[in-house]
């Protein structure tokens, strides 16, 4: 994993933060600002004193001016559990370059950003269940552990994101952020799984990675197509018409996914495996508001 | 089913081509991809999920629609009206007479004529029709008003030359009926002349083109050949004629039973006929052949056969007290030796005669042989006599064409009295009175031919009438005719058998090779294929009988092979409009278009547009 990132790029990553619309409460204090008012150094507001309030937070200067008791409110800074779900199906190993490479890079970058921000990171490799799992880690010291985990992942299974994400409920019930990285090319679907994540009070980010060949197929003529995961055979005579029809179908699929995500408030980003990683971070993630 | 354009069947050759295209279709190429998820959806969209979809701009669809449309159009056989030159109806008549065998032009006149007709067929225009008629003794329409060159050629090849002459009259009558209401006809005749002239004067109202075939008339031929027994030897008579324009010399061979007997040198001036006689030929001779030993352009008349009659003269015994009419009539019969005796001198030992005539007398015992009873009297085993009838009887024929009364006119015959006889079961009444009194009966009893005249010739006017000698001749012919003979027909190209009872098979051979064989039931007439000497063998249960038959192609009209111009009256200008509206079918073009579309479609499919 180290070979993917140089020091300069890691320096860029350190300055980035995963943006979460609603700050979830964490169990440990961290760098992330919670929506809850708490006890920290950053002032946010005043409120009237009510009996029982901690007198330490009384604003005596205001009392001196107005003879009224006000309580100072401060932003509570907490850490958040961020889980990255990586699709480990065999279809991810296809493409030139393979989709898995970008998936690993992306997960590695996210892991670095998360751990640099003192958030808790959890990694989960999914096939039709959670196949590989890295328990929540925290702090930059865990970056190596996370990257090693990513290096060990083997993309050979058969995807069923719905099942795999529902499987996630067995591990955590804490609110947090879930990043799902997959090609989504499975007849079993993924929407139910994403809904379930939201049900678990997860803020979800969906990243779809497609190979260039999947967007612009170079297949032609009488083909017997074999599904890498299921072994299903589809005989088809591919002509330019058929290719156009395929692209149309892919467009519908993407539009449908995007519409679903929009309805559910899920940021959705579609990537191609041959895109430059820097570009993805700088020109897609930042404009999309996933990173800040 | 008839095909207007059989050559179109060649289009079937494109079927293997189409099959080849499909054989060449590439096999599926296997490819493992990340997921077939989206491809499945595409297939479903295209094939299954939407039975009806919005028409897409697809080249294959367009081509298939166009092919289907053109196919439907082709099957409806569309045509476009054309204003073009009117076609002619050419009637080609080919002379099939034997003179067309002449070889003054190679290979012979008939083949040259056929070749000229083939040229005519080749030159036929798209709207021309042709009829081909074979002109022989009887004319045949080989093909009528056809525009198919293939069929015309096939019909032409079927025409064969005949051994007889060609008659012009029947052809003209046939053509008149063929083209009665037709316009723009043209008659083209291929002949060497020498046609039998028509009985009626025909004048055709369309042009006639006579194509003369043949150049030279150099031919010396046999006109007749006959033989007869004279005493204990045979006399042969032959007549020759020089039809050429130069004096000719030729050696004339005489062969008796295939053995060369004599050679005579004959010199003939142009147009001169000469007889040659050989005498003293052994009476055992069966077949005599005469051959002109000189090649000329017409070899058919250079040899002839005659079969020597093996029977001696028939001996006829007339038993009468005196009947000058009868005696004279019998004495006139050819091949008959007449003997006469009286009833008193007749004795049953008088045998060896083939024909007995008993006039007003019936012996107690009759000899074996044919018998004619005239005015029988007394008891006998043959005929029962009831009595005598008197009165004027006018005889009537019981059958119009009875062979005994052939060419016999009985209208003015009168009979004063006759015996009242009863026609026995083995007889048939030939002549009877108005009141059905039999006057003449005839029949066959135990292989014996017997005729009975029930009246005395002296009591009638019959001997004074012209029919009497004919009647006697018919009676003698019938009674003396061979029971088991082989009789050549007048036309000479067929023969009949005297009777066919007991015959198990008939073999016809020519020059030692079997030509044909027959088994019961036999035809009334046995046809011979070509002129020549034939051997007819009749196979019976225990025996075989063989006869020779000679069919000579001796016909002075045909032997005179010099081309003779045929004068003919005909209109020179064809009638009818010079233009006409015709129709041109365009389905062949459509078929080619469909074929082209199929090829384009295959290419489009292969390229995946």
């Amino acid at each position: 994993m180290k070979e993917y990132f140089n020091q300069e790029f890691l320096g860029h990553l350190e300055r980035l933060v995963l943006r979460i619309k609603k700050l979830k409460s964490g169990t440990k204090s961290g760098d992330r600002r919670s929506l809850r008012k708490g006890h920290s150094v950053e002032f946010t507001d005043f409120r009237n004193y009510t009996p029982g309030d901690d007198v330490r937070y009384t604003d005596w200067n205001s009392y001196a001016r107005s003879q009224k008791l006000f309580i100072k409110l401060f932003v509570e800074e907490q850490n958040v559990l961020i889980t990255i779900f990586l699709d480990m199906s065999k279809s991810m190993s296809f493409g030139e370059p393979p989709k898995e490479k970008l998936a690993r890079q992306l997960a590695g970058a996210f892991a670095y950003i998360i751990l640099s921000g003192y958030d808790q990171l959890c990694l989960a490799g999914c096939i039709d269940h959670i196949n590989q799992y890295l328990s929540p880690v925290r702090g930059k010291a865990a970056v190596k552990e996370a990257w090693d985990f990513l290096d060990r992942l083997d993309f050979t299974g058969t995807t069923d994101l719905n099942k795999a994400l529902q499987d996630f409920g067995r591990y955590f019930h804490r609110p947090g952020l879930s990043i799902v990285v997959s090609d989504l090319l499975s007849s079993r679907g993924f929407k139910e799984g994403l809904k379930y994540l939201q049900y678990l009070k997860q803020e979800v980010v969906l990243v779809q990675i497609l190979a260039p060949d999947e967007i612009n197929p170079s297949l032609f003529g009488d083909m017997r197509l074999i599904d890498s995961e299921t072994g299903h055979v589809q005989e088809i005579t591919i002509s330019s018409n058929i290719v156009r029809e395929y692209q149309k179908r892919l467009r519908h699929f993407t539009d449908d996914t995007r519409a679903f995500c929009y309805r559910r408030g899920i940021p959705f980003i579609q990537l191609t495996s041959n895109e430059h990683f820097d570009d993805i971070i700088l020109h897609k993630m930042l404009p999309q508001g996933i990173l800040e | 089913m008839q095909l207007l354009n059989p050559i179109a069947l060649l289009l079937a050759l494109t079927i293997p081509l189409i099959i080849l295209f499909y054989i060449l279709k590439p096999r599926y190429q296997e490819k493992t991809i990340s997921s077939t998820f989206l491809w499945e959806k595409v297939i479903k969209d295209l094939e299954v999920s939407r039975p009806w979809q919005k028409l897409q701009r697809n080249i294959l669809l367009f081509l298939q629609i166009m092919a289907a449309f053109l196919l439907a159009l082709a099957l409806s056989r569309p045509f476009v009206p054309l204003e073009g030159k009117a076609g002619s109806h050419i009637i080609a008549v080919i002379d099939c007479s034997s003179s067309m065998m002449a070889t003054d032009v190679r290979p012979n006149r008939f083949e040259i004529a056929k070749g000229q007709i083939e040229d005519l067929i080749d030159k036929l225009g798209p709207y021309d029709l042709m009829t081909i008629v074979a002109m022989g003794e009887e004319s045949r329409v080989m093909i009528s008003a056809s525009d198919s060159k293939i069929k015309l050629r096939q019909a032409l090849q079927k025409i064969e030359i005949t051994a007889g002459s060609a008659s012009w009259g029947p052809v003209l009558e046939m053509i008149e009926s063929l083209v009665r209401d037709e316009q723009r006809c043209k008659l083209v005749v291929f002949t060497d002349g020498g046609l039998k002239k028509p009985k009626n004067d025909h004048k055709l109202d369309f042009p006639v083109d006579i194509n003369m075939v043949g150049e030279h008339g150099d031919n010396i031929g046999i006109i007749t050949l006959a033989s007869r027994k004279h005493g204990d030897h045979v006399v042969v008579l032959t007549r020759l004629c020089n039809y050429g324009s130069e004096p000719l010399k030729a050696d004339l061979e005489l062969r008796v039973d295939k053995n060369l007997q004599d050679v005579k040198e004959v010199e003939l001036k142009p147009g001169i006929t000469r007889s040659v006689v050989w005498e003293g030929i052994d009476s055992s001779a069966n077949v005599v052949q005469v051959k002109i030993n000189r090649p000329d352009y017409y070899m058919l008349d250079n040899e002839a056969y005659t079969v020597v009659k093996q029977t001696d003269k028939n001996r006829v015994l007339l038993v009468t007290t005196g009947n000058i009419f009868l005696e004279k009539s019998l004495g006139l019969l050819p091949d008959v030796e007449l003997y006469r005796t009286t009833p008193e001198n007749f004795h049953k030992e008088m045998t060896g005669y083939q024909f007995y005539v008993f006039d007003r007398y019936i012996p107690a015992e009759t000899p074996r042989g044919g018998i004619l009873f005239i005015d029988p009297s007394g008891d006998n085993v043959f005929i029962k006599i009831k009595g005598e009838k008197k009165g004027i009887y006018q005889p009537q024929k019981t059958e119009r064409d009875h062979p005994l009364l052939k060419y016999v006119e009985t209208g003015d015959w009168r009979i004063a009295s006759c015996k009242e006889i009863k026609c026995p079961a083995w007889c048939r009444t030939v002549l009877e009175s108005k009141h059905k009194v039999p006057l003449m009966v005839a029949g066959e009893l135990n292989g014996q031919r017997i005729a009975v005249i029930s009246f005395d010739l002296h009591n009638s006017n019959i001997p004074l009438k012209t029919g009497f000698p004919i009647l006697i001749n018919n009676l003698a012919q019938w009674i003396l005719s061979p029971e088991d003979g082989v009789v050549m027909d007048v036309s000479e190209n067929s023969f009949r058998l005297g009777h066919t009872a007991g015959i198990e098979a008939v073999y016809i051979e020519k020059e030692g090779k079997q030509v044909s064989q027959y088994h019961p039931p036999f035809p009334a007439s046995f046809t011979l294929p070509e002129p020549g000497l034939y051997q007819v063998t009749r196979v019976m249960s225990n025996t075989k009988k063989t006869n020779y038959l000679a069919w000579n192609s001796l016909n002075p009209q045909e032997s005179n092979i010099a081309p003779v111009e045929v004068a003919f009256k005909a209109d020179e200008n064809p009638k009818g409009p010079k233009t006409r509206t015709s129709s041109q079918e365009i389905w062949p073009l459509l078929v080619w278009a469909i074929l082209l579309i199929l090829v384009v479609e295959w290419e489009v499919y292969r390229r995946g547009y």
Side-chain angles (χ1 to χ4, degrees):
Chain A
M1 188 59 65
K2 281 180 184 172
E3 66 269 17
Y4 297 141
F5 309 107
N6 55 32
Q7 279 302 319
E8 187 189 351
F9 187 70
L10 288 176
H12 284 301
L13 292 181
E14 276 184 38
R15 287 195 292 273
L16 297 174
V17 180
L18 270 169
R19 183 168 178 267
I20 299 174
K21 291 175 186 169
K22 298 173 186 176
L23 280 174
K24 311 293 178 187
S25 61
T27 53
K28 297 180 174 71
S29 63
D31 283 349
R32 193 168 297 281
R33 292 168 62 192
S34 169
L35 288 182
R36 284 166 58 182
K37 306 291 185 289
H39 313 279
S40 67
V41 291
E42 193 174 343
F43 169 81
T44 59
D45 205 354
F46 293 99
R47 70 170 169 84
N48 289 327
Y49 173 80
T50 52
D53 282 342
D54 192 342
V55 291
R56 287 181 295 177
Y57 296 107
T58 310
D59 187 347
W60 297 114
N61 293 330
S62 301
Y63 180 74
R65 287 193 297 272
S66 61
Q67 298 300 309
K68 287 182 180 176
L69 282 172
F70 290 101
I71 296 293
K72 288 194 279 186
L73 295 179
F74 299 90
V75 172
E76 189 179 59
E77 291 185 339
Q78 292 182 339
N79 70 338
V80 176
L81 176 64
I82 300 174
T83 311
I84 301 174
F85 294 93
L86 265 181
D87 181 354
M88 281 171 60
S89 65
K90 181 134 194 218
S91 64
M92 290 292 286
S93 63
F94 278 78
E96 192 53 48
K99 293 181 273 184
E100 59 165 292
K101 183 185 169 189
L102 181 61
R104 281 182 217 265
Q105 278 182 310
L106 208 56
F110 280 144
Y112 190 82
I113 292 168
I114 292 162
L115 292 174
S116 297
Y118 295 97
D119 285 322
Q120 278 187 297
L121 168 71
C122 180
L123 290 170
C126 318
I127 42 175
D128 54 355
H129 58 281
I130 301 296
N131 187 34
Q132 303 274 334
Y133 181 69
L134 178 68
S135 302
V137 289
R138 192 165 181 248
K140 278 182 81 173
V143 169
K144 185 178 181 303
E145 189 184 354
W147 284 4
D148 287 346
F149 175 84
L150 290 172
D151 283 337
R152 284 197 306 273
L153 291 179
D154 186 15
F155 292 79
T156 53
T158 305
T159 328
D160 187 346
L161 275 179
N162 285 336
K163 269 185 163 180
L165 295 178
Q166 283 166 10
D167 203 24
F168 176 69
R170 291 192 294 147
Y171 297 88
F172 283 101
H173 298 284
R174 283 173 54 196
L177 175 68
S178 290
I179 302 170
V180 180
V181 181
S182 170
D183 56 8
L184 304 179
L185 297 179
S186 167
S187 58
R188 295 182 182 95
F190 58 90
K191 292 177 182 170
E192 292 307 311
L194 296 183
K195 285 181 189 171
Y196 184 71
L197 284 180
Q198 288 187 318
Y199 166 74
L200 292 178
K201 298 183 179 170
Q202 295 291 311
E203 193 170 331
V204 181
V205 173
L206 181 61
V207 180
Q208 184 189 23
I209 301 176
L210 293 174
D213 233 23
E214 287 167 341
I215 295 170
N216 293 305
S218 57
L219 301 172
F220 190 77
D222 300 295
M223 304 295 295
R224 181 174 284 120
L225 302 177
I226 302 166
D227 192 303
S228 61
E229 292 179 25
T230 60
H232 177 262
V233 174
Q234 182 68 56
E235 287 181 352
I236 186 168
T237 302
I238 301 176
S239 64
S240 51
N241 269 345
I242 299 289
V243 169
R244 276 199 291 277
E245 191 63 30
Y246 170 86
Q247 287 170 329
K248 189 174 152 192
R249 168 52 55 184
L250 177 64
R251 215 160 37 243
H252 285 166
F253 178 70
T254 306
D255 291 348
D256 182 57
T257 305
R258 187 169 281 121
F260 168 80
C261 291
Y262 179 77
R263 284 197 305 275
R264 307 288 302 187
I266 298 171
F268 170 70
I269 185 163
Q270 189 184 58
L271 304 174
T272 313
S273 66
N274 62 348
E275 284 183 73
H276 201 274
F277 187 67
D278 294 352
D279 289 342
I280 294 171
I281 297 295
L282 300 175
H283 298 116
K284 288 203 169 173
M285 295 289 181
L286 286 172
Q288 284 268 337
I290 295 169
L291 293 172
E292 58 184 4
Chain B
M1 185 181 73
Q2 286 193 336
L3 298 173
L4 286 172
N5 185 17
I7 204 163
L9 288 177
L10 288 174
L11 283 176
L13 292 175
T14 57
I15 293 170
L17 199 65
I18 292 168
I19 293 169
L20 190 68
F21 286 163
Y22 279 84
I23 292 170
L24 287 174
K25 184 180 167 186
R27 298 180 65 189
Y28 283 109
Q29 186 186 342
E30 286 195 357
K31 172 86 177 173
T32 304
I33 58 168
S34 56
S35 173
T36 57
F37 168 60
L38 287 174
W39 291 110
E40 283 172 40
K41 286 183 178 292
V42 170
I43 297 283
K44 280 181 186 172
D45 281 354
L46 290 177
E47 295 179 357
V48 185
S49 60
R50 286 185 289 172
W52 302 102
Q53 61 179 340
K54 191 181 169 186
L55 269 181
Q56 296 173 358
R57 277 189 293 175
N58 187 320
I59 297 174
L60 284 177
L61 175 69
F62 170 73
L63 290 172
Q64 283 163 5
I65 289 171
M66 184 179 276
F69 174 73
L70 290 178
L71 187 64
L73 201 63
L75 288 173
S76 68
R77 299 186 67 183
F79 67 91
V80 288
L82 292 177
E83 188 79 16
K85 185 188 168 190
S88 306
H89 183 185
I90 297 171
I91 302 159
V93 177
I94 183 167
D95 184 352
C96 297
S97 64
S98 58
S99 62
M100 292 290 280
M101 291 280 277
T103 54
D104 54 333
V105 285
R106 294 287 174 180
N108 59 40
R109 294 177 179 179
F110 189 66
E111 293 301 324
I112 293 291
K114 271 187 168 180
Q116 290 176 353
I117 294 178
E118 279 211 30
D119 291 344
L120 211 57
I121 293 170
D122 289 337
K123 288 174 187 169
L124 277 183
Y127 312 115
D128 291 340
L129 302 173
M130 187 184 250
T131 296
I132 298 178
V133 179
M135 176 170 60
E137 290 284 357
E138 295 169 354
S139 296
R140 283 188 303 151
V141 177
M142 304 304 292
I143 185 167
S144 179
S146 174
D147 60 351
S148 164
K149 295 186 179 183
I150 294 171
K151 286 183 180 175
L152 286 167
R153 283 198 190 90
Q154 285 171 347
L156 182 65
Q157 291 309 316
K158 284 181 189 167
I159 302 175
E160 288 183 351
I161 203 157
T162 64
S165 300
S167 297
W168 197 208
V171 173
L172 292 176
E173 284 168 13
M174 183 189 289
I175 289 168
E176 279 176 336
S177 63
L178 272 176
V179 297
R180 185 159 293 159
D181 298 321
E182 258 190 87
Q183 297 174 327
R184 299 193 67 78
C185 282
K186 185 178 181 183
L187 177 63
V188 187
V189 185
F190 297 86
T191 180
D192 57 357
L195 305 173
K196 284 184 183 172
K197 287 183 179 173
K199 291 175 185 171
N200 304 320
D201 188 21
H202 293 270
K203 185 176 185 304
L204 301 179
D205 55 357
F206 48 83
V208 178
D209 187 4
I210 308 280
N211 285 274
M212 295 305 296
V213 189
E215 295 169 359
H216 305 289
D218 177 18
N219 181 37
I220 181 167
I222 300 167
I223 301 173
T224 54
L225 175 66
S227 65
R228 69 180 176 90
K229 278 198 169 178
H230 186 73
D232 57 351
H233 61 269
V234 175
V235 178
V236 174
L237 167 72
T238 186
R239 297 184 74 213
L240 311 172
C241 183
N242 178 7
Y243 297 100
S245 54
E246 300 287 332
L248 294 174
K249 274 186 186 177
D251 288 338
L252 197 62
E253 283 182 8
L254 175 76
R255 289 176 185 270
V256 177
D257 294 332
K258 296 184 181 174
N259 299 316
L260 186 64
Q261 190 89 4
D262 189 23
V263 179
K264 286 184 178 179
E265 192 184 57
V266 183
E267 186 170 357
L268 282 170
K269 289 180 181 173
I272 295 299
T273 303
R274 185 178 156 186
S275 300
V276 179
V277 178
W278 281 277
E279 292 178 335
I281 297 168
D282 192 78
S283 61
S284 64
N286 276 322
V287 178
V288 174
Q289 180 190 9
V290 172
K291 188 177 180 184
I292 299 169
N293 214 352
R294 175 186 176 279
D296 55 30
Y297 292 135
Y298 186 64
M299 296 295 286
L300 278 180
D301 61 357
N302 281 20
E303 65 177 349
Y305 298 90
T306 179
V307 180
V308 181
K309 280 191 178 175
Q310 295 303 306
T311 52
D312 293 325
K313 277 198 170 180
N314 293 301
R315 286 153 59 90
V316 178
L317 179 63
L318 173 62
V319 184
T320 179
T321 52
N323 193 332
I324 190 68
F325 305 115
L326 200 55
E327 195 175 329
K328 283 288 180 191
S329 301
L330 289 169
L332 288 171
L333 296 175
D335 299 327
V336 161
E337 283 180 11
L338 181 64
Y339 298 87
R340 191 172 69 84
T341 187
T342 57
E344 293 78 28
N345 293 329
F346 180 75
H347 192 267
K348 66 176 183 180
E349 301 296 326
M350 287 182 167
T351 56
Y353 298 91
Q354 283 81 39
F355 183 16
Y356 295 89
V357 182
F358 295 105
D359 183 27
R360 290 168 287 169
Y361 166 70
I362 295 182
E365 290 183 38
T366 52
R368 187 78 188 161
I371 299 174
L372 170 63
F373 293 111
I374 297 172
D375 191 23
S377 60
D379 291 335
N380 63 84
V381 295
F382 300 108
I383 198 113
K384 192 174 180 182
I385 300 162
K386 294 178 182 173
E388 191 164 347
K389 282 208 162 198
K390 290 192 177 178
I392 303 299
Y393 295 106
Q394 187 178 348
Q396 290 178 338
K397 295 178 182 179
T398 54
E399 293 176 34
R400 174 173 287 186
D401 295 320
H402 196 285
L404 287 179
L405 295 175
K406 198 174 182 182
Y407 308 122
V408 176
E409 182 55 52
T410 60
D412 53 352
W413 287 7
R414 295 292 183 272
I415 298 161
S417 64
C418 67
K419 293 286 191 303
E420 191 180 359
I421 60 172
K422 188 182 177 187
C423 184
W426 49 270
C427 273
R428 275 201 306 169
T429 303
V430 180
L431 207 62
E432 62 184 8
S433 71
K434 275 187 180 175
H435 306 289
K436 305 292 180 190
V437 177
L439 299 173
M440 187 166 82
V441 296
E444 200 168 321
L445 179 65
N446 301 325
Q448 232 178 329
R449 289 191 173 179
I450 297 168
V452 179
I453 294 173
S454 67
F455 53 88
D456 185 357
L457 292 172
H458 296 96
N459 290 335
S460 72
N461 65 349
I462 294 172
L464 304 175
K465 300 298 179 188
T466 51
F468 178 66
I470 302 171
L471 172 68
I472 296 301
N473 183 69
N474 288 348
L475 280 166
Q477 286 279 331
W478 177 67
I479 288 171
L480 292 170
S481 66
E483 293 171 6
D484 56 352
V486 177
V487 184
M488 199 77 181
D489 285 342
V490 181
S491 60
E492 288 194 325
N493 61 358
S494 61
F495 67 89
R496 295 169 184 277
L497 295 179
H499 71 85
T500 56
I503 299 175
E504 292 170 356
V506 174
Y507 298 102
I508 302 171
E509 294 175 14
K510 187 187 176 196
E511 295 170 358
K513 290 180 183 173
Q514 185 171 301
V515 176
S516 54
Q517 58 175 315
Y518 296 90
H519 296 278
F522 295 108
S525 179
F526 297 81
T527 307
L528 299 174
E530 58 186 11
L533 180 69
Y534 290 89
Q535 195 174 343
V536 180
T537 305
R538 288 162 293 157
V539 180
M540 283 158 278
S541 57
N542 298 320
T543 57
K544 282 186 180 178
K545 288 190 175 177
T546 302
N547 292 75
Y548 287 98
L549 288 174
W551 175 16
N552 296 314
S553 181
L554 305 181
N555 187 337
Q557 192 178 356
E558 296 303 313
S559 292
N560 189 5
I561 60 169
V564 180
E565 288 291 334
V566 180
F568 200 79
K569 298 173 191 169
D571 266 358
E572 285 308 314
N573 298 314
K575 291 182 177 176
K578 290 187 177 176
T579 59
R580 71 173 178 190
T581 303
S582 59
S583 59
Q584 173 72 52
E585 288 198 73
I586 57 169
W587 66 264
L589 285 175
L590 296 174
V591 169
W592 282 112
I594 291 165
L595 189 67
L596 187 68
I597 287 170
L598 286 176
V599 171
V600 172
E601 188 188 352
W602 181 79
E603 186 61 24
V604 167
Y605 170 78
R606 200 177 64 81
R607 294 193 179 191
Y609 290 131

